[in-house]
């Protein structure tokens, strides 16, 4: 599907979810794919899917990037049913060549992005067994993958989209990040290797200082809790404490609010914390 | 005017502005009152007036507090013309007794607040001449006034409104603060004595940790630039750099957005920076 | 005792300890005074006593301030035995007049301070029962005392000593603070009302920016753990976890190290954390 | 030279300086090598050289790592003359294999390190012309080099030395960092690409939380100013403002102080700022 109506373009890097019904985290945590047909369509694909649906509803031509297009099929169907315009582009953030090719396609078929949301995650580290928490037990390859997704990916993607935004004098470049991006912390068993996410936030700070005056709104969004999705909802701690779960549709509204902020008063970091917990810092 | 229709109540502590056409800062900076009849009604009373108009428009019974009721007469007229409901209550934040009396009136005539915005400022320090920047030149009385408005006032106001919000399980308690609240900094000539504002932010952090779980949304809003108003607009640096001026109506929208956030993802600090400047930190 | 030898002067504001063998916290926590004769003399009076002994040993005429001179008698005896020079001055930080009088005495009998360490604490809040943690339960008087010690006291003391340090072009002005000074946090049952300590740190930041260029070394020392003393050592959690206790003599060495830093590389905040715990932030 | 006397081992990663008389930065800034024979021996090789001399003086067998052993010849001569014990090991931080080989040599000839100081820097970015400040102009290779030195290097070095320190239950692992490590900031013309240094600080925070309880002292040292050396001293801004220059011997003393801190009160971040400037934050 191409952007034949010339709608403004929103690119969601990582529009599908590791926690969707057949996602990698879902399978890792639950040992199988889950059934999501009873869940609201807004939460089935976590934040990525909610962002895609929200921006499509607001009139954007929404580009879904994902590692395998088939992962986005159900999300595409949902957007279609909601009357939205979209296309899916395969993208492997670990590959410079893949990033280049994807944006060539995006520029040709959709046009220069007005909004780019970097929502990529990784699960490296989660399967390290208890007793292997310390840095000395982290394989170099794991560190390299986390770096590729959290740090180098944003750098490469920024190089693809910022020049055109700068020349046009407008655009939104948002990072979907988590509370582990606020400082370096000990990795606990079962967690991803989070500390490269601090660097993702750092890149957001750099771009804020470098590109705001050129009319580009850069922001780091700190999602400070467990995001509702088929895979997270089924976790015991979510079952027992539903008040710690964040509604991804409301997260998507927060991103959209940021995009609509007046340029006389932009917010460059937005933290979203469930009422029941203390905000991370 | 009383809240006869039983609307939800929004209290704006400091609804008028030191920078309004006949405000204290306006007279201090320009040597006289200014004419504001060509200015949009949304900016005539700075953030306080914009907040009052916004919440009135959104259906709140809006309580304007100010040191002298006459200061709010023009703002009242504007809200009335916009079809809003309001009342004005005199309040001297330096007086425990005045705070108690004001909230007795508010509870009786308007009802328990659903929203409270602490927007009080002070200008102590601005008239210290150049060469008297250092702390050793700050009179004790000046320190005491700044403390009363920035620190003790929030404490006393919190004690007035939080118990009822807690029992009801809902409410918004927001602080309108500035970038000097982020850390202790050198006072420059011509500036207010800002460092007690750090403590205002600290109180916001304390209340966030203490009252969020009771359903009360607490937030510190860092207005990181010059706010449009009759008095600021006429300053030379605003004339020469209009892109550093923040539209108070847009600030009011940001407060309203915070009030409408879903409790699964609350923001407890929101910084608002003009696109043309680097965010303070 | 007067400074007849013209030694450099170090003033320790709060040289005795609420946790010394007959201190207020000791009596509050243990119901009685404790015997300290088996404890090393360096830890008997907490940080204040250790600082006094350290600076006396390093050749300073050490001024001990305390609310009642009798509280300092045992500490005086220890310094005397170690060959140090000292005097004790009564000082009530809640009283502007007392501060003025004390520094008049200090200037007359000891001379202008070369080093001032603000080591004052308070225990307001500790006796509030469980269930009364929230801000709404804090009496105004308690807030006022905490403010007087943590915020207004430093302001008044700074006004007493900084002008002479500035004219001389040298001096050290250090704050002995704790981890609760890093941000506003929920008060837990049994804790003092700590958040005014954020303002103490803020004053340190202000003074750093204002007075460093005049040759005065300002620093906020964040003691991030339980300080050894007769009263704390006897607490069950100290008994069970001796590795969380900080040696006050080592804290005093850290203060002395700061005082001896070369002015080409001054540290303005120093956090001291036991190896067994994560540093607060 | 091998550690035949069995002294404790201190490894200085990056013991030579880009600003030494014939260093890369010196040549880049001044167009030629400089003469350093009139400079104190303590400042001739910047922080790396001062650290090496200090730890050698304190009785350590000091391992100097550098990309080319010849760069360290003059420093070696100085340590030798001061009666110190040392060896030089070539190390290219961009190469996993080089790191492995270097530590194999170190372990064989010197023994397991008691102290490791990561003092590596890079100059990538400095030669980008004015007008090429923005991230979009940073070549990928430049980003990759900065990452290799600032982020991946510490990770790999940590994996080499921490296991033995952990088993022994003691050791110091310090990072020599700068003020750009405190947050992401705009790159100015003539500056290195600094933001990966934020990640270096992040690794320090991670290691602090992970390894302190195992008896290893981790710290990030923020050198917040211009370090004296042949190359920096000759810069016009250093000439005109000698009070902004930090004495590297005093920095080395700060590192040594950290190493000698009692484990009941460790400091994990130490910022060093000239008295004449406001501390970065």
């Amino acid at each position: 599907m191409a952007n034949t109506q010339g709608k403004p373009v929103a690119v969601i890097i990582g529009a599908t979810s590791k926690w969707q019904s057949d996602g990698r985290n879902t399978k890792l945590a639950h040992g199988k794919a889950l059934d999501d047909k009873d869940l609201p369509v807004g939460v089935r694909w976590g934040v990525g899917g909610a962002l895609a649906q929200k921006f499509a509803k607001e009139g954007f031509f929404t580009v879904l990037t994902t590692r395998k297009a088939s992962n986005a099929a159900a999300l595409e169907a949902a957007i279609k049913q909601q009357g939205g315009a979209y296309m899916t582009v395969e993208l492997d953030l670990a590959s410079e060549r893949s990033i280049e090719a994807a944006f060539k396609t995006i520029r040709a078929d959709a046009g220069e992005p007005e909004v780019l949301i970097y929502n990529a995650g990784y699960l490296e580290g989660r399967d390290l067994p208890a007793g292997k928490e310390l840095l000395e037990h982290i394989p170099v390859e794991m560190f390299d993958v986390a770096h590729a997704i959290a740090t180098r990916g944003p750098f490469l993607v920024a190089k693809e989209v910022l020049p055109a935004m700068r020349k046009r004098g407008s655009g939104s470049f948002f990072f979907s990040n988590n509370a582990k991006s606020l400082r370096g912390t000990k990795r606990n068993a079962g967690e991803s290797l989070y500390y490269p996410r601090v660097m993702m936030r750092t890149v957001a700070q750099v771009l804020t200082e470098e590109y705001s005056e050129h009319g580009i709104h850069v922001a780091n969004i700190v999602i400070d809790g467990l995001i509702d999705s088929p895979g997270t909802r089924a976790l015991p701690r979510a079952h027992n404490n539903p008040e710690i779960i964040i509604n991804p549709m409301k997260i998507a509204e927060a991103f959209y609010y940021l995009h609509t902020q007046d340029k006389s008063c932009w917010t460059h970091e937005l933290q979203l914390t469930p009422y029941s917990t203390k905000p991370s810092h």
Side-chain angles (χ1 to χ4, degrees), chain A:
Chain A
M1 195 166 157
N3 184 8
T4 50
Q5 300 171 271
K7 292 184 169 193
V9 176
V11 179
I12 315 297
I13 304 283
T16 54
S17 172
K18 305 181 300 294
W19 288 109
Q20 65 189 34
S21 63
D22 59 351
R24 284 192 294 157
N25 271 354
T26 299
K27 288 176 183 166
L28 185 64
H30 301 289
K32 56 171 184 183
L34 299 173
D35 183 358
D36 66 2
K37 69 170 189 296
D38 294 338
L39 264 63
V41 76
V43 311
R44 286 189 200 163
W45 307 277
V47 170
L51 287 166
Q53 293 175 70
K54 173 68 180 170
F55 279 83
K57 251 174 226 162
E58 297 289 346
F60 284 80
F61 182 83
T62 304
V63 180
L64 319 175
T65 89
T66 182
R67 292 218 288 192
K68 285 188 192 171
S70 58
N71 287 339
L75 172 58
E76 286 181 333
I79 296 175
K80 192 173 188 180
Q81 196 180 357
Q82 294 161 26
Y86 62 89
M87 68 183 277
T88 298
V89 178
E90 290 194 342
L91 176 57
D92 175 7
L93 287 160
S95 157
E96 206 171 331
R97 210 161 296 182
S98 169
I99 293 174
E100 265 176 46
F103 277 94
K104 206 168 174 183
T105 303
I106 292 170
R107 273 189 290 265
D109 295 352
E112 287 289 355
E114 177 69 28
V115 173
L116 187 135
I117 299 178
Y118 195 92
N119 183 53
Y122 49 91
L123 47 62
E124 271 66 26
R126 286 183 183 254
D127 48 2
L128 282 173
K132 297 291 180 191
E133 290 84 359
L134 297 176
L135 183 137
E136 66 192 72
H137 302 302
I138 308 291
V140 178
E141 302 68 36
M142 187 175 289
F143 179 85
D144 286 345
V145 172
H147 164 69
I149 307 298
T151 302
R152 200 171 188 257
F155 174 79
L156 295 171
V157 168
K159 283 170 74 86
E160 290 288 340
V161 304
L162 289 176
M165 287 185 176
R166 179 176 58 75
K167 283 164 201 158
R168 196 178 54 222
S170 75
S172 289
F173 194 106
F174 296 155
F175 292 89
S176 178
N177 211 335
N178 70 24
K180 300 280 181 176
S181 72
L182 299 175
R183 59 197 318 278
T185 48
K186 181 175 182 167
R187 196 185 71 83
N188 298 309
E191 287 182 352
S192 302
L193 184 71
Y194 280 130
Y195 37 87
R197 281 189 171 269
V198 175
M199 192 65 179
M200 186 190 286
R201 182 191 187 212
T202 300
V203 172
Q205 292 172 334
V206 169
L207 294 178
T208 293
E209 290 204 356
E210 292 190 347
Y211 285 90
S212 291
E213 62 177 313
H214 296 291
I216 302 169
H217 188 178
V218 180
N220 184 52
I221 289 81
V222 179
I223 302 173
D224 187 19
L226 198 62
I227 300 162
D228 199 6
S229 68
T232 49
R233 185 179 278 216
L235 295 171
R237 66 185 166 116
H239 243 300
N240 301 333
N241 305 92
E243 76 280 3
I244 64 165
I245 304 180
I246 306 184
N247 182 341
M249 294 181 284
K250 299 299 181 177
I251 297 173
E253 286 178 18
F255 276 81
Y256 190 71
Y257 165 70
L258 285 183
H259 175 63
T260 62
Q261 277 188 324
D262 187 69
K263 71 196 287 195
S264 82
C265 50
W266 275 348
T267 295
H268 299 290
E269 183 152 274
L270 191 76
Q271 188 161 333
L272 300 170
T273 308
Y275 77 97
S276 59
T277 60
K278 292 181 187 176
S280 299
H281 63 270

